[in-house]
Amino acid sequence: MTEKTILIVDDEQAIREMVDFALTRAGYHVVGAENAGNALALLTQFRPDLILLDWMLPDISGVDLARRLKKEELYQDIPIIMLTAKVEEQDKVKGLEIGADDYVTKPFSTRELIARIKAVLRRSSPPEKEEALTVDQLVIDPRSHRVHVSGNELHLGPTEYRLLHFFMSNPDRVYSRSQLLDRVWGQNTFIEDRTVDVHVRRLRKVLSDTGYDHLIQTVRGAGYRFSAQVIA
Amino acid sequence: MTEKTILIVDDEQAIREMVDFALTRAGYHVVGAENAGNALALLTQFRPDLILLDWMLPDISGVDLARRLKKEELYQDIPIIMLTAKVEEQDKVKGLEIGADDYVTKPFSTRELIARIKAVLRRSSPPEKEEALTVDQLVIDPRSHRVHVSGNELHLGPTEYRLLHFFMSNPDRVYSRSQLLDRVWGQNTFIEDRTVDVHVRRLRKVLSDTGYDHLIQTVRGAGYRFSAQVIA
DNA sequence: CAGCTATGTTACAGCTTTATGACAAGTCAC
DNA sequence: GTGACTTGTCATAAAGCTGTAACATAGCTG
């Protein structure tokens, strides 16, 4: 998967650093802004997957900023978690009313913060397409995360599974090793092209018991192709 | 069982306090909201077992709010008792038409209120899916809250019971640890993903005596899957 | 056919994900 | 309170995967 980017908007440097440290360790990419103006400027530069917004900011209040973002079509889909020192029910309610997706009360544990971030991201990420794909007797079913050929389950490692799923979703088309790395491994991976060969080999090996390894064809000088047509 | 939570939506603080006092003493957990907006916001945070809704509210009328909630799949199962100062048959009918489960006329005695709440909760809690689920000789029966394999009862802790019930209700499908936390533990619990492993382990342990632990399968990199199908 | 390049295979050390057992804190009925 | 259960978290042990390097083959070019 791709790394998620989180924008933390808080005027206290200590908080930003703490959050940065915790979230980075949890595998997120963190960008900080110390006030609303900064945050807005940054938003024109890139699109975070989630925004952590302090309730009180020196220029525009976090509440107003949230309200503003939720009004703009471009930004309204970015989930927001409010950070607040206040504990009153009123504020909590207000925060949620303006469209924040959750709120965390200071002081908070990094564990809670991470848990809430995960929950919000999970809720807001679109459900994946989970149609089962079939080629002849070969079936890959994302819902059960299973691959089987006429009743016999095939065991694939995570990478081989993704590779096969990608191939079956995009049949009859050649992909270079680099393209496969981008599409199957993710965009920011730094892996040798030849590694793809190894995984193709592993996938073919599993498929070979049932003869379906022929579906994965080598296109010399170009890459690999998955062909839905069963070649005798 | 868990303590029942009741959301009281009324703009008069005196009423809220009175109800809070009475219901708390009766063993309920009470949360108050003074208007419909507040109530809606609160509903994103937790799920009450019942809502006491004033007929007239400052922003959206109680009637409209009730109608709205009953339309949404997520909330339509929460029983609603309308609180009304009016006594006309017309209103009574209207209230029930929109889907309220009962109504109480102000002024009301706390005894009456509690009695009606109990009645409504009793009536509305059973409609949960209570069917016993079976896989081969393994049976889980929500009515008796029991699990047994060919006559022998298995002892499961509450969490393991819910986990097994969830799995048996949703077979042949992978769930990530996070999804399981959402679905089995509830949406606003913030515990470690890895804790799921431990409960899976506990559940498997109990099932292992009868060999049914194999039904709970680990899908590396994806989560767990309960599968009745034994694919060779 | 020699020489060269692209692809196939295998082995493996390091790393990541799971499984497991132990534990302290929390609950609940007595 | 007390004792029997539960529960979430850790630390540690196991398993399972992954990316590379090295060597074997196959394919192409001239």
Side-chain angles (χ1 to χ4, degrees):
Chain A
M1 306 292 157
T2 318
E3 188 179 38
K4 300 283 188 180
T5 299
I6 295 183
L7 174 63
I8 162 83
V9 189
D10 196 308
D11 56 316
E12 289 177 70
Q13 194 186 357
I15 299 270
R16 288 205 307 278
E17 280 174 0
M18 193 259 278
V19 168
D20 185 352
F21 177 75
L23 297 190
T24 298
R25 204 160 56 92
Y28 295 100
H29 177 54
V30 181
V31 176
E34 59 179 344
N35 57 46
N38 252 350
L40 283 168
L42 282 170
L43 283 175
T44 65
Q45 298 292 303
F46 75 100
R47 181 188 173 83
D49 295 289
L50 183 146
I51 301 176
L52 290 175
L53 193 51
D54 188 28
W55 188 268
M56 308 260 286
L57 290 174
D59 46 357
I60 307 174
S61 89
V63 185
D64 289 335
L65 177 57
R67 190 179 287 125
R68 205 152 133 184
L69 293 179
K70 285 301 180 186
K71 259 190 225 150
E72 294 205 42
E73 194 178 359
L74 193 56
Y75 302 129
Q76 65 189 358
D77 290 333
I78 304 177
I80 295 179
I81 293 180
M82 302 293 302
L83 303 179
T84 170
K86 313 189 175 188
V87 288
E88 299 112 52
E89 193 77 358
Q90 282 303 2
D91 294 314
K92 170 177 167 179
V93 167
K94 192 168 168 196
L96 294 169
E97 263 178 358
I98 60 175
D101 296 80
D102 203 349
Y103 75 99
V104 175
T105 306
K106 291 183 191 176
F108 47 81
S109 71
T110 55
R111 169 175 301 170
E112 178 186 358
L113 183 63
I114 290 171
R116 286 187 185 269
I117 287 174
K118 268 194 191 166
V120 168
L121 284 179
R122 193 177 339 116
R123 260 178 268 154
S124 66
S125 69
E128 306 176 27
K129 42 178 173 177
E130 27 188 44
E131 299 265 314
L133 301 170
T134 301
V135 170
D136 196 34
Q137 293 290 306
L138 175 64
V139 182
I140 185 168
D141 179 12
R143 289 168 53 100
S144 62
H145 206 277
R146 252 180 183 158
V147 179
H148 56 271
V149 174
S150 44
N152 296 75
E153 180 161 8
L154 303 182
H155 178 76
L156 300 185
T159 305
E160 283 70 62
Y161 177 90
R162 288 202 306 280
L163 184 58
L164 178 61
H165 187 262
F166 175 75
F167 273 140
M168 291 184 73
S169 306
N170 302 278
D172 294 309
R173 184 170 163 176
V174 186
Y175 290 95
S176 69
R177 291 173 175 69
S178 304
Q179 287 177 315
L180 287 172
L181 282 177
D182 270 3
R183 306 283 302 262
V184 178
W185 274 255
Q187 288 205 163
N188 283 54
T189 40
F190 307 100
I191 295 177
E192 290 294 317
D193 274 15
R194 292 304 309 284
T195 297
V196 173
D197 296 31
V198 178
H199 284 278
V200 164
R201 155 69 176 152
R202 287 170 179 155
L203 178 52
R204 278 176 173 160
K205 200 168 196 173
V206 176
L207 293 177
S208 68
D209 292 332
T210 54
Y212 283 104
D213 56 327
H214 296 303
L215 297 182
I216 299 172
Q217 301 160 0
T218 302
V219 181
R220 196 179 175 77
Y224 295 98
R225 169 183 58 209
F226 180 90
S227 176
Q229 301 170 44
V230 184
I231 300 177
Chain B
M1 283 298 158
T2 320
E3 186 179 39
K4 300 284 187 181
T5 299
I6 296 186
L7 173 64
I8 162 83
V9 189
D10 196 308
D11 55 316
E12 289 176 70
Q13 195 185 356
I15 299 271
R16 289 205 306 278
E17 280 173 0
M18 191 261 279
V19 169
D20 186 353
F21 176 76
L23 297 189
T24 298
R25 204 160 56 90
Y28 296 101
H29 177 54
V30 180
V31 176
E34 60 178 343
N35 57 46
N38 265 359
L40 283 168
L42 283 170
L43 283 175
T44 66
Q45 289 295 297
F46 72 99
R47 183 189 173 79
D49 296 289
L50 184 146
I51 300 175
L52 291 175
L53 193 51
D54 189 28
W55 189 268
M56 306 261 285
L57 289 174
D59 46 357
I60 306 174
S61 89
V63 183
D64 288 336
L65 178 57
R67 189 180 289 125
R68 207 155 131 182
L69 292 178
K70 286 301 180 184
K71 257 191 230 152
E72 293 206 44
E73 192 180 2
L74 194 57
Y75 302 127
Q76 65 190 357
D77 291 333
I78 304 176
I80 295 179
I81 294 181
M82 301 294 301
L83 303 179
T84 171
K86 313 190 175 186
V87 289
E88 298 113 54
E89 195 71 3
Q90 281 302 9
D91 295 314
K92 171 176 167 181
V93 168
K94 192 170 169 193
L96 295 173
E97 256 180 6
I98 61 174
D101 296 80
D102 201 351
Y103 73 101
V104 176
T105 306
K106 293 182 188 177
F108 48 80
S109 71
T110 57
R111 172 175 301 172
E112 177 188 0
L113 182 63
I114 291 172
R116 285 186 185 274
I117 286 174
K118 269 193 188 163
V120 168
L121 283 179
R122 194 177 336 113
R123 236 184 294 148
S124 68
S125 54
E128 293 296 316
K129 24 184 173 173
E130 285 218 330
E131 288 179 43
L133 299 170
T134 301
V135 169
D136 197 31
Q137 293 291 307
L138 174 64
V139 183
I140 184 168
D141 181 7
R143 273 174 295 247
S144 59
H145 205 273
R146 272 189 180 144
V147 179
H148 52 270
V149 173
S150 43
N152 298 72
E153 181 164 2
L154 302 182
H155 176 74
L156 298 185
T159 305
E160 282 71 60
Y161 176 88
R162 288 202 307 280
L163 185 58
L164 178 61
H165 186 262
F166 175 76
F167 271 140
M168 291 184 73
S169 306
N170 301 278
D172 293 307
R173 185 165 172 163
V174 184
Y175 291 95
S176 69
R177 292 173 174 71
S178 300
Q179 288 176 317
L180 288 172
L181 284 178
D182 267 4
R183 306 283 302 261
V184 177
W185 275 255
Q187 286 211 167
N188 279 57
T189 43
F190 300 102
I191 59 181
E192 292 292 317
D193 275 15
R194 290 264 142 233
T195 298
V196 173
D197 296 32
V198 178
H199 284 277
V200 163
R201 154 72 175 147
R202 288 169 180 156
L203 179 51
R204 277 176 173 161
K205 202 167 195 175
V206 176
L207 293 177
S208 68
D209 293 331
T210 54
Y212 284 105
D213 56 327
H214 295 303
L215 297 182
I216 299 171
Q217 302 159 358
T218 301
V219 181
R220 187 163 247 265
Y224 294 99
R225 168 182 61 207
F226 180 91
S227 178
Q229 298 175 50
V230 183
I231 295 182

